């Protein structure tokens, strides 16, 4: 049933290698679900960073080797010696009854690391465990599938799920510290976003096997992070009920990828090398292709979307109020551009019925600013 | 954000230049601020990498931690920075005036960091230092815990609206100028300065693009750019580690010099921007009420100095229930006072409040300056009434107490009625203070007919809220902190040793 959509998405991606959803694209999904360009690029598994760079707007993301090394070292430490440290914090810090049983690394199946095969393997083991006949407590790197816009995508598997008290818990291992019981809220939020996607995906999997998903998977996420300024892990429950509900709602409301694809002009592609060579597509041709798809830019995109600089440049060209962000934008309900705001403020444009109330407030504000400009011209 | 400030942003966007949103600088800017630019290592908790410190543009000290993962080097850095900062703080403890409870230092220190991330970096450093022991197996220099406690004091003070002992320069700039970019991008000092004062010969658009290029404008911290980390810093640290392990003193000195040079190149552009921003801010006149707020900063500085002299304990990790309630109350009150002070002093801020109907200005169209009524105690009192016609969408209720920036300080009034009339509003107010008595009315106590006048709500004086004593907190507010922590401080110390060289 996915076949024609699959073909269109493959055509969009072109010759490039398929990219899986990762922490950043999940954050983008949560923060800007209505952006069509993002939805299509992510669903097709296109390399947004390469596309942005080729279009002349390289993204500013990059990971410092220090952060990478620290992250890996901490994760290794938590998982070392048969997950000894992880079990310690689960038992000591969170007071969970984790029985002393084995663990399963689902990273590959007998040397085969294809996504489909790993997914089948994961499903078999986890469903068995949920039915109470599993032989393990910890499952590392389970391969899950999330339905985004009616289209199933694989999730990058870098998590641990464990069973305690007959429920699955999702563990996020992060290297930002929990200092005096408090961690940076921004980082906690992005960590939970990722975990929420796993909770939803895992629940979907179990639902299909006829298991009550809410009872089987906890929406309390276990965050494992360094304690204070040390290397020693500590753990905390993060209540993700709200975020799970929000993400579920967003996923359900999301325009279906199928419908989005159908609106695209025939033959549209974001391929950088349609002839099989290396990034040789004329820039103009690529930007023309990108411009055929709507993008919903927000300043927040700069934090998580590789395309952000490109979209910002486009929004600037249009004098779009999106540039200023939602706090300023919401003042001018129904008006999209700076040009229109200034036109209304100067009385050069006539407001529509919807805009009349806003226009009164706007003209009043413009009068106030004009008085001030006159009084303080030149000063300071 | 009000309509007026949103419009200012759109104006900036259209004209491609920053526009003023206040007439004054509402923060005191010290004659001798201490600029601190902290850099931390990516991915590490409170692992300082470097800091550039100094109280004049030409007098910068660069401190570098060659291997931020090494605990000894980190605390050696903390000690060096601590010496510089405490010396600066102590230089303000010379001139003390007043007697008894009123006694306080006449000036106070001011630390300036590039952005709110800088404050967070100092908060982490403060937390890392203030509980350290100066004796025993993991002893640190005497100045380290002292520095940690002072830094904690400054960071906590910075949470309070209107204070100026520790400030992010981006915050000071955005209080005065609006740009045509988002508040998120305003956090970048270089982008912000590109709007306000682009380098000579560069237009705003080009300056903005440069500001986001890590090679032209390295980030103002606290983390360095990933490109710099991967390309320059990581190999340099590796060379340092190799020389350190090999015990090769010549190579070690060379590696250290290289690291310093690399970091200096990253930090110097921000240093120059900081001082450019400071001189820009100096050109903005200080708001009249900033002095009174600064007086309270001096008092806070004095009282913490005395507490330190008395060997006071370090600030606790988490507030108790009562402590948290008290802090929240203080912060809320300070915010209300600061906002009201700004609106009183500054017609731009007043315009903001007027646009949302929280204040109004207009012309006196009717005045009854001689109105006398009988008070509850049967005395004849003067209660003049005036009616003001205004275009502002007034949303204040009858009975609201008012003050006016255009009348003498003693002037107080109260709203009697607000009536719409043909697209404008007629606000009748009764003067309740500063008007004199029926026999001796004050000449300037009542606004005259045809005069332009503004009113805003009187924040009033509020007695400090009362909270129960800490030993009579209701059981709902007992904190789990009373359960002893499984990993007490000594294990934290021991675990911290686990840092060392990772690779």
């Amino acid at each position: 049933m996915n076949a024609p959509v699959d073909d269109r998405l493959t055509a969009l991606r072109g010759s490039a290698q398929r990219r899986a959803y990762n922490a950043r694209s999940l954050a983008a999904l949560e923060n800007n679900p209505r952006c069509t360009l993002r939805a299509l690029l992510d669903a097709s598994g296109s390399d947004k960073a390469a596309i942005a760079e080729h279009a002349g707007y390289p993204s500013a993301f990059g990971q410092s080797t220090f952060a990478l090394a620290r992250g890996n070292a901490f994760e290794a430490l938590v998982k070392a010696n048969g997950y000894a440290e992880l079990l310690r914090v689960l038992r000591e810090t969170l007071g969970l009854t984790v029985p002393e049983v084995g663990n399963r690394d689902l990273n590959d199946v007998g040397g085969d690391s294809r996504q489909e095969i790993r997914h089948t393997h994961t499903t078999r083991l986890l469903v068995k465990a949920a039915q109470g006949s599993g032989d393990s407590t910890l499952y590392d790197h389970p391969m899950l599938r999330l339905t985004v816009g009616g289209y199933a995508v694989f999730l990058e598997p870098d998590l641990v799920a464990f069973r305690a008290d007959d429920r699955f818990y999702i563990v996020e291992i992060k290297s930002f510290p929990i200092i005096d019981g408090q961690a940076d809220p921004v980082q906690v939020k992005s960590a939970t976003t990722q975990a929420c996607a796993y909770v939803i995906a895992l629940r979907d999997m179990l639902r299909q096997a006829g298991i009550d998903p809410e009872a089987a998977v906890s929406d309390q996420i276990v965050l494992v992070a360094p304690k204070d300024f040390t290397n020693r892990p500590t753990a905390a429950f993060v209540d993700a009920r709200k975020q799970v509900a929000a993400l579920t709602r967003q996923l359900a409301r999301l325009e279906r990828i199928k419908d989005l694809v159908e609106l695209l002009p025939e033959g549209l592609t974001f391929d950088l090398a349609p002839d099989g060579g290396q990034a040789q597509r004329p820039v103009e041709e690529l930007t023309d292709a990108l411009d055929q798809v709507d993008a919903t830019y927000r300043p927040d995109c700069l934090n998580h979307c590789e395309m952000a600089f490109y979209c910002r440049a486009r929004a600037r060209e249009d004098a779009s109020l999106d540039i200023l962000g939602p706090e300023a934008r919401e003042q001018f309900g129904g008006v999209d551009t700076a040009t229109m705001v200034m036109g209304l403020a100067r009385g050069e444009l006539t407001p529509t019925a919807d805009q009349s109330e806003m226009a009164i407030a706007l003209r009043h504000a413009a009068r106030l600013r004009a008085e001030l400009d006159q009084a303080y011209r030149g000063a300071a | 954000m009000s309509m007026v400030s949103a419009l200012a942003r759109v104006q900036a966007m259209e004209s491609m230049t920053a526009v003023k949103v206040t007439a004054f600088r509402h923060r005191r800017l010290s004659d001798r601020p201490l600029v601190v630019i902290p850099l931390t290592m990516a991915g590490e908790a409170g692992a300082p990498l470097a800091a550039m410190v100094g109280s004049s543009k030409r007098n910068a000290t660069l401190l570098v931690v060659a291997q931020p993962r090494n605990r000894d080097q980190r605390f050696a850095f903390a000690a060096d920075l601590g010496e510089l900062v405490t010396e600066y703080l102590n230089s303000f403890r010379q001139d003390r005036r007043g007697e008894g409870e009123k006694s306080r230092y006449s000036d106070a220190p001011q630390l300036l960091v590039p952005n709110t991330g800088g404050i967070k970096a100092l908060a982490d450093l403060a937390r890392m230092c203030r509980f350290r022991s100066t004796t025993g197996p993991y002893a640190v220099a005497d100045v380290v815990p002292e520095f940690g406690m002072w830094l904690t004091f400054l960071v906590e003070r910075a949470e309070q609206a209107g204070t100026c002992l520790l400030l992010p320069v981006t915050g000071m700039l955005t209080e005065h100028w609006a740009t045509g970019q988002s508040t998120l991008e305003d956090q970048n000092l270089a982008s912000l300065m590109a709007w306000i004062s682009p380098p000579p010969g560069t237009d705003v658009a080009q300056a903005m693009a440069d500001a986001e290029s890590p090679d032209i404008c390295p980030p103002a911290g606290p983390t360095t750019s990933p490109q710099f980390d991967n390309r320059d810093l990581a190999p340099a640290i590796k060379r340092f580690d190799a020389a350190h392990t090999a015990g090769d003193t010549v190579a070690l000195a060379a590696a250290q010099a290289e690291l310093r040079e690399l970091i200096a190149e990253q930090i110097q552009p921000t240093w120059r921007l900081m001082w450019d921003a400071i001189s820009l801010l100096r050109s903005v006149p200080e708001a009249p009420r900033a002095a009174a707020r600064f007086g309270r900063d001096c008092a806070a500085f004095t009282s913490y100095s005395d507490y330190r002299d008395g060997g006071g304990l370090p600030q606790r990790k988490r507030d108790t229930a009562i402590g948290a309630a008290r802090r929240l109350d203080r912060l809320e009150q300070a915010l209300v006072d600061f906002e009201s002070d700004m609106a009183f002093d500054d017609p731009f801020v007043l315009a903001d409040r007027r646009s949302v109907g929280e204040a109004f200005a207009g012309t006196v169209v009717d005045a009854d300056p001689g109105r006398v009524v009988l008070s509850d105690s049967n005395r004849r009192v003067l209660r003049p009434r005036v009616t003001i016609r205004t275009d502002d969408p007034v949303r204040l209720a009858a009975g609201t107490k008012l003050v006016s920036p255009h009348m003498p300080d003693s002037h107080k009034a109260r709203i009697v009625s607000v009536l719409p009339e043909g697209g404008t509003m007629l606000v009748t107010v009764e003067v309740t203070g500063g008007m004199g008595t029926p026999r001796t009315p004050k000449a300037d106590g009542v606004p005259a007919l045809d005069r332009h006048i503004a009113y805003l709500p009187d924040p009033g004086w509020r007695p400090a809220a009362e909270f129960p004593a800490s030993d009579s907190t209701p059981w709902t507010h007992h904190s789990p902190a009373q359960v002893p922590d499984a990993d007490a401080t000594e294990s934290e110390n021991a675990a911290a040793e686990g840092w060392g060289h990772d690779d």
Side-chain angles (χ1 to χ4, degrees), chain A residues 9-61:
Chain A
L9 290 176
T10 309
L12 277 185
R13 187 178 73 246
S15 55
Q17 214 191 338
R18 192 186 171 86
R19 301 264 158 166
Y21 267 80
N22 57 21
R24 194 171 290 141
S25 40
L26 285 172
L29 171 66
E30 195 191 22
N31 291 308
N32 198 351
R34 315 294 284 181
C35 179
T36 310
L37 183 60
R38 180 207 56 73
L40 286 174
L41 288 171
D42 284 341
S44 63
S46 299
D47 185 345
K48 289 190 284 186
I51 292 175
E53 183 160 5
H54 192 60
Y57 296 91
S59 65
F61 301 115

Side-chain angles (χ1 to χ4, degrees), chain A residues 54-56 280-292 310:
Chain A
H54 192 60
Q280 56 191 200
R281 191 171 186 197
V283 174
E284 200 120 310
E285 213 183 290
L286 175 67
T287 53
D288 279 351
L290 290 169
D291 287 347
Q292 309 224 18
Y310 175 77

Side-chain angles (χ1 to χ4, degrees), chain A residues 311-350:
Chain A
C311 298
R312 186 178 65 181
R314 212 151 78 161
R316 270 186 195 153
E317 250 170 59
D318 300 342
S320 163
L321 292 177
D322 291 336
I323 290 293
L324 298 178
E327 310 98 312
R329 182 153 197 161
E330 68 189 14
Q331 291 292 329
F332 310 106
V335 172
D336 294 326
T337 65
T339 333
M340 269 190 87
V341 169
M342 294 311 293
L344 287 170
R346 295 190 186 108
E348 295 161 1
L349 289 177
T350 321

Side-chain angles (χ1 to χ4, degrees), chain A residues 172-370:
Chain A
E172 276 286 339
I173 301 171
K174 291 286 168 190
S175 60
F176 58 79
I178 298 180
I179 298 173
D180 301 335
Q182 285 175 307
D184 179 7
V186 178
Q187 285 178 307
V188 173
K189 181 164 183 275
S190 86
T192 27
T193 300
Q194 210 177 345
C196 284
Y198 286 112
V199 170
I200 294 171
L202 187 54
R203 283 182 172 178
D204 277 353
M205 172 193 278
L206 297 177
R207 185 182 294 117
Q208 278 164 24
I211 297 161
D212 176 16
E214 267 76 40
V217 186
S218 172
D219 37 28
Q220 300 279 310
I221 283 154
V222 177
L223 175 68
V224 176
K227 182 178 164 56
D228 301 337
F229 301 102
T230 68
N231 252 349
R232 208 172 146 80
T234 184
F237 278 122
V238 181
D239 186 349
R241 250 175 311 175
K242 258 194 187 155
Q243 244 182 309
V244 167
L247 190 59
T248 310
R249 205 167 47 241
Q250 263 159 13
L251 287 171
R253 277 178 51 204
L254 215 57
E255 269 125 299
R256 298 180 67 85
I257 295 292
K258 186 167 155 281
D259 301 339
L260 294 179
V261 166
E262 272 167 14
L263 291 175
L264 297 180
E266 212 43 58
L268 183 74
T269 177
F270 305 130
D271 199 343
L272 300 182
D275 305 326
Q278 248 241 314
Q280 56 191 200
R281 191 171 186 197
V283 174
E284 200 120 310
E285 213 183 290
L286 175 67
T287 53
D288 279 351
L290 290 169
D291 287 347
Q292 309 224 18
V293 184
D294 282 336
T296 317
Y297 170 77
R298 294 173 178 186
D300 193 32
C301 294
L302 294 167
N303 288 332
H304 49 64
C305 187
E306 290 86 349
M307 296 301 293
F309 285 137
Y310 175 77
C311 298
R312 186 178 65 181
R314 212 151 78 161
R316 270 186 195 153
E317 250 170 59
D318 300 342
S320 163
L321 292 177
D322 291 336
I323 290 293
L324 298 178
E327 310 98 312
R329 182 153 197 161
E330 68 189 14
Q331 291 292 329
F332 310 106
V335 172
D336 294 326
T337 65
T339 333
M340 269 190 87
V341 169
M342 294 311 293
L344 287 170
R346 295 190 186 108
E348 295 161 1
L349 289 177
T350 321
T352 62
D354 293 352
Q355 296 165 345
S356 62
E357 206 163 303
M358 186 276 292
I360 293 171
L362 177 56
R363 294 229 181 91
H364 178 251
R367 267 200 306 280
L368 291 178
R369 283 227 34 114

